[in-house]
Amino acid sequence: DGLLVETVHDEVARACARYGGSVLHRAPGGGCTGRPGGRPGARAVGREGEPYDLVLALTTADPLPAVAEAVRAGFGRNRGTGDHAAGAEGYVIDRHDDITVVIADDPAGLLYGLFHLVRLGGRAFGGTRRAEHHRPATPRRILDHWDNVDVHPVMGQVERGYAGGSIFWLDGALRDDLSRVRAYGRLLAACGVNAITVNNVNVHAGEARLLTDRLGEVAAIAGELRPYGIQVHLSVGFASPVTLGGLPTADPLDDDVRKWWAAATERVYEALPDFGGYLVKADSEGQPGPFAYGRTHADGANVLAEALAPFGGIVRWRAFVYNHRQDWRDRSTDRARAACDHFAPLDGLFRDNVILQVKHGPIDFQTREPVSPVIAAMPSTRVAVELQVTQEYTGQQRHVCYLAPMWSEVLGFRPWGPGGRAVADVAAGNTASDTEDGAAGGGLVGVSNVGADRYWTGHPLAQANLYAFGRLAWSPDLEPAAILDEWIDLTFAPVTDGDPERLRDALHAIMDDSWRTYESYTAPLGVGFMVRPGHHYGPDVDGYEYTPWGTYHFADRDGVGVDRTRATGTGFTGQYPRPWSEVYESVERCPDELLLFFHHVPYGHVLRSGSTVIQHIYDSHFAGVERVAEARRRWDGLIGAGVVVAPALHTRVRELLDEQLRSAEEWRDQINAYFFRKSGVPDAHGRRIP
Ligand code: GCU
């Protein structure tokens, strides 16, 4: 805690310096006071006799500075209950007698309050401000790194990473200089993230040892992140008792296996008393799991949970379990069904410290998917919702694709219909109308998009996705455009000269709808995939059509789409509660953007929009490329329009927009040509289809 307060102190110094002031002194009990420069007339007087108008204080400080005490008391009165606790990680911000006050019950809350001030900038020190109470929607706001210690021959060092190597490891060893990791902690805290998993869910031999003889590396990373309230988790292999412990089995019901996990976990907590827990990908895409021993996933998760429980740790168990060796000829097997089929029967069988981590969609982070039915199917299980911040299927950080609008739709989706709880509520664990005694929440998890790249995320504009993930995890109701505004202010002010409003307008024009733009020139109407197998970049309509991966579109000369209805298809629609089981079942009521996810329809089928499926495909693909060309014009237009963005940054974005336009044209031409050749239906507007 002391270290965190020290860090807060540094942060205040930096924040004050940004506005031309300086930190005066640390307040008793661990807060501190500062004074933005150039503001005459501040009334309170600091220890050195100088006026100040900023107080950051822990409510545990004794004595609490008088002005902070007044805010605390006033806050309690306003609540009506007299309760003046800011709560874990929460803070109250107020401007009282010309002094801006932030109070928090714990150092993490004070840190988040400080970053709130930084977001407000100069506005934090003008006029009056009513007391505002902020606290996170969920205590679990986690980024999972898919980093490997070694460079994997196919996947590289960071699996699905598009921002260079790992910030933790270089040449198979922990980096000597971890200052970037420290800076990363600060970056994450500023976004609202409070935990990371350091290694890939696919645990290879080298990374497996992070649990045992390489644990010191995890402890070193944790040491850098701790001052920013960031907890560390580890991905572990289910077969560790065999591969690391030399036991003949990893059967979760075997006594020696149980003891092995208990002992290994005890050693972890000796090295890292604030360790978060384990993340497990089991029986999935070749990873070992309990099926090998005829056990269930509840058996598997519970043995790890039992080992973690004495230390307050959790196990996050992924629901991404499906048959990746299916026969493409077999139309009755539906990958979308798999997670629910495997896990729903296990509801209520997991220990309290197991969190089931569910990808937001039933397939795999596609540009458009319905919300996974698992999220609504397990009322007695703690559910975490997993988003993919790294842009595996959304342009790989070469295309601009601001994902907050998609996540916002997912988090706001109400699986039980209007009036029911939203996905964000399930993740937060609010127990309300739909389930009588629902489980606690599992939180929000994102797959990290960060690497050793100088801009952290490869595409500089992809930083907005990292920021938005943290902000939405903290507060799922925030508007994507408002989050973008915050990010623009925080990110561009230091590297830009000229008219900030012009830059803001241009970035909104380029980014606000970039997810829908990406959707419009890639796979149509929710059908998904159509990407190049393996690396998943660029179009390949039939690339996965005759493979074992379960990701098909079934296009023929007459129509396209996957029949997932109960009436004639795989029955997947039946995994949803009403009203969605009915809405998705009906070809008339199904939303256009998901039509081909749920139905196989003729090319002449008329959408709710009034267009036919085939004409929609042509129109959206032509329009999408136009919008990318316009985005490129907007970015170029900044030069000479009174806005000077740091040259290297401008060039990086410009080059990437060139690549995005090239790639979008390729998508447009391949998709349009494919469907024109299949259907024989010409474009109603006579545009050129190669
Ligand atoms: C996708 C991705 C893999 C990843 C997997 C997962 O399939 O392509 O690289 O391992 O998701 O989420 O486990």
Side-chain angles (χ1 to χ4, degrees):
D1 285 5
L3 200 53
L4 185 60
V5 170
E6 197 57 55
T7 303
V8 169
H9 188 259
D10 286 352
E11 291 299 331
V12 174
R14 261 193 285 261
C16 285
R18 192 165 153 193
Y19 300 104
S22 62
V23 170
L24 296 181
H25 66 86
R26 297 183 62 185
C32 44
T33 60
R35 168 179 174 249
R39 287 204 67 263
R43 283 191 210 138
V45 171
R47 203 180 283 163
E48 284 95 24
E50 291 197 43
Y52 65 88
D53 60 4
L54 170 64
V55 170
L56 290 141
L58 285 173
T59 51
T60 49
D62 185 19
L64 197 57
V67 63
E69 181 55 54
V71 168
R72 181 165 167 266
F75 172 60
R77 265 198 313 279
N78 292 345
R79 268 185 160 182
T81 57
D83 170 17
H84 40 59
E89 301 183 296
Y91 57 92
V92 176
I93 174 167
D94 189 3
R95 189 157 169 82
H96 199 81
D97 284 346
D98 275 356
I99 301 172
T100 299
V101 179
V102 178
I103 53 169
D105 299 339
D106 55 25
L110 207 53
L111 185 66
Y112 291 123
L114 170 72
F115 284 121
H116 189 119
L117 287 182
V118 174
R119 281 196 295 275
L120 288 174
R123 285 170 294 155
F125 301 105
T128 52
R129 179 171 281 279
R130 282 169 56 91
E132 285 173 31
H133 181 207
H134 295 268
R135 54 186 310 189
T138 166
R140 301 201 175 275
R141 309 179 301 279
I142 310 177
L143 269 179
D144 286 348
H145 280 253
W146 285 359
D147 292 22
N148 298 313
V149 169
D150 301 303
V151 176
H152 186 273
V154 180
M155 291 293 174
Q157 192 180 17
V158 179
E159 181 160 329
R160 310 306 181 185
Y162 311 103
S166 167
I167 58 171
F168 309 123
W169 290 283
L170 181 68
D171 299 331
L174 189 69
R175 285 176 182 270
D176 292 332
D177 177 6
L178 291 178
S179 53
R180 197 100 199 270
V181 177
R182 174 68 67 116
Y184 184 49
R186 176 164 174 256
L187 182 62
L188 292 184
C191 305
V193 170
N194 68 356
I196 66 162
T197 310
V198 290
N199 64 309
N200 190 0
V201 284
N202 296 313
V203 185
H204 311 291
E207 293 77 29
R209 290 170 45 213
L210 294 170
L211 176 64
T212 51
D213 55 309
R214 296 187 72 161
L215 187 56
E217 296 170 34
V218 185
I221 294 169
E224 298 298 325
L225 297 174
R226 188 172 293 116
Y228 288 98
I230 315 281
Q231 211 181 25
V232 162
H233 296 234
L234 254 188
S235 291
V236 297
F238 186 76
S240 297
V242 177
T243 55
L244 298 170
L247 296 185
T249 178
D251 181 347
L253 300 193
D254 182 279
D255 224 35
D256 288 338
V257 169
R258 173 176 283 149
K259 285 188 195 131
W260 189 87
W261 279 113
T265 305
E266 199 175 326
R267 281 194 300 274
V268 171
Y269 279 91
E270 269 161 28
L272 266 147
D274 55 356
F275 178 69
Y278 298 141
L279 172 63
V280 188
K281 171 176 178 177
D283 289 319
S284 170
E285 300 184 333
Q287 292 295 305
F291 286 162
Y293 307 98
R295 308 299 183 196
T296 70
H297 279 254
D299 295 330
N302 287 345
V303 68
L304 274 74
E306 186 184 298
L308 288 156
F311 309 99
I314 53 156
V315 54
R316 282 177 294 132
W317 192 267
R318 294 179 87 225
F320 186 57
V321 178
Y322 70 100
N323 178 4
H324 71 291
R325 297 203 178 96
Q326 86 169 71
D327 183 349
W328 59 267
R329 299 167 195 82
D330 163 22
R331 288 213 185 186
S332 65
T333 303
D334 181 1
R335 173 166 164 180
R337 291 190 58 117
C340 221
D341 284 343
H342 283 300
F343 285 95
L346 303 178
D347 188 34
L349 300 180
F350 293 99
R351 289 182 63 116
D352 287 350
N353 61 330
V354 175
I355 289 173
L356 188 68
Q357 185 163 308
V358 184
K359 289 191 182 190
H360 68 86
I363 300 276
D364 194 5
F365 300 134
Q366 296 304 290
T367 311
R368 177 75 73 166
E369 286 189 48
V371 159
S372 168
V374 178
I375 294 169
M378 305 198 58
S380 303
T381 303
R382 298 175 72 175
V383 170
V385 177
E386 185 179 302
L387 307 173
Q388 198 180 38
V389 187
T390 192
Q391 290 172 238
E392 175 178 3
Y393 296 103
T394 51
Q396 303 201 346
Q397 280 135 260
R398 284 186 253 179
H399 296 219
V400 181
C401 189
Y402 178 49
L403 292 166
M406 183 217 278
W407 298 335
S408 209
E409 272 188 25
V410 168
L411 293 169
F413 179 79
R414 297 183 186 276
W416 296 273
R421 290 181 305 139
V423 168
D425 300 324
V426 178
N430 301 338
T431 50
S433 53
D434 302 293
T435 51
E436 264 120 49
D437 50 359
L444 202 66
V445 180
V447 181
S448 164
N449 64 348
V450 162
D453 168 62
R454 70 179 283 195
Y455 297 109
W456 296 98
T457 52
H459 202 310
L461 303 188
Q463 284 182 13
N465 287 330
L466 178 64
Y467 184 73
F469 168 78
R471 296 291 287 138
L472 285 171
W474 179 283
S475 184
D477 296 335
L478 290 174
E479 287 295 327
I483 297 174
L484 194 56
D485 267 331
E486 290 178 7
W487 177 79
I488 291 169
D489 285 347
L490 292 168
T491 305
F492 280 88
V495 290
T496 314
D497 287 324
D499 183 353
E501 290 314 310
R502 259 180 210 262
L503 178 67
R504 181 189 306 284
D505 289 349
L507 286 170
H508 276 292
I510 293 166
M511 296 175 76
D512 277 344
D513 282 332
S514 52
W515 164 54
R516 289 193 180 82
T517 297
Y518 186 82
E519 177 182 30
S520 70
Y521 61 76
T522 54
L525 297 166
V527 79
F529 277 83
M530 301 191 168
V531 290
R532 293 243 166 222
H535 58 63
H536 298 168
Y537 187 74
D540 189 343
V541 183
D542 282 339
Y544 273 105
E545 198 59 12
Y546 308 102
T547 71
W549 291 94
T551 51
Y552 314 120
H553 55 70
F554 300 127
D556 58 23
R557 65 177 187 177
D558 301 317
V560 55
V562 189
D563 184 353
R564 293 193 158 108
T565 63
R566 303 192 284 293
T568 52
T570 66
F572 170 69
T573 59
Q575 292 186 337
Y576 289 89
R578 281 147 97 84
W580 296 106
S581 56
E582 306 298 327
V583 171
Y584 293 147
E585 177 78 7
S586 155
V587 74
E588 287 84 29
R589 295 175 67 200
C590 182
D592 284 351
E593 66 273 13
L594 289 171
L595 185 70
L596 303 183
F597 191 95
F598 286 105
H599 297 274
H600 185 93
V601 296
Y603 293 116
H605 173 85
V606 179
L607 295 167
R608 292 158 70 88
S609 70
S611 183
T612 60
V613 166
I614 190 73
Q615 193 56 42
H616 170 91
I617 292 175
Y618 298 148
D619 289 347
S620 65
H621 283 75
F622 282 113
V625 171
E626 277 309 304
R627 288 199 292 271
V628 177
E630 174 58 18
R632 198 176 64 155
R633 275 195 294 277
R634 289 299 297 252
W635 185 254
D636 281 352
L638 287 174
I639 293 178
V643 182
V644 183
V645 179
L649 174 64
H650 192 276
T651 306
R652 171 81 73 98
V653 174
R654 184 171 207 275
E655 287 169 359
L656 288 164
L657 282 165
D658 287 348
E659 164 55 17
Q660 182 173 359
L661 185 58
R662 183 208 63 78
S663 175
E665 285 171 350
E666 194 62 30
W667 270 100
R668 175 196 65 196
D669 291 344
Q670 287 203 28
I671 297 275
N672 284 350
Y674 180 93
F675 284 105
F676 175 56
R677 290 177 194 181
K678 282 267 168 184
S679 70
V681 180
D683 171 34
H685 306 295
R687 289 164 292 196
R688 183 174 166 274
I689 294 176

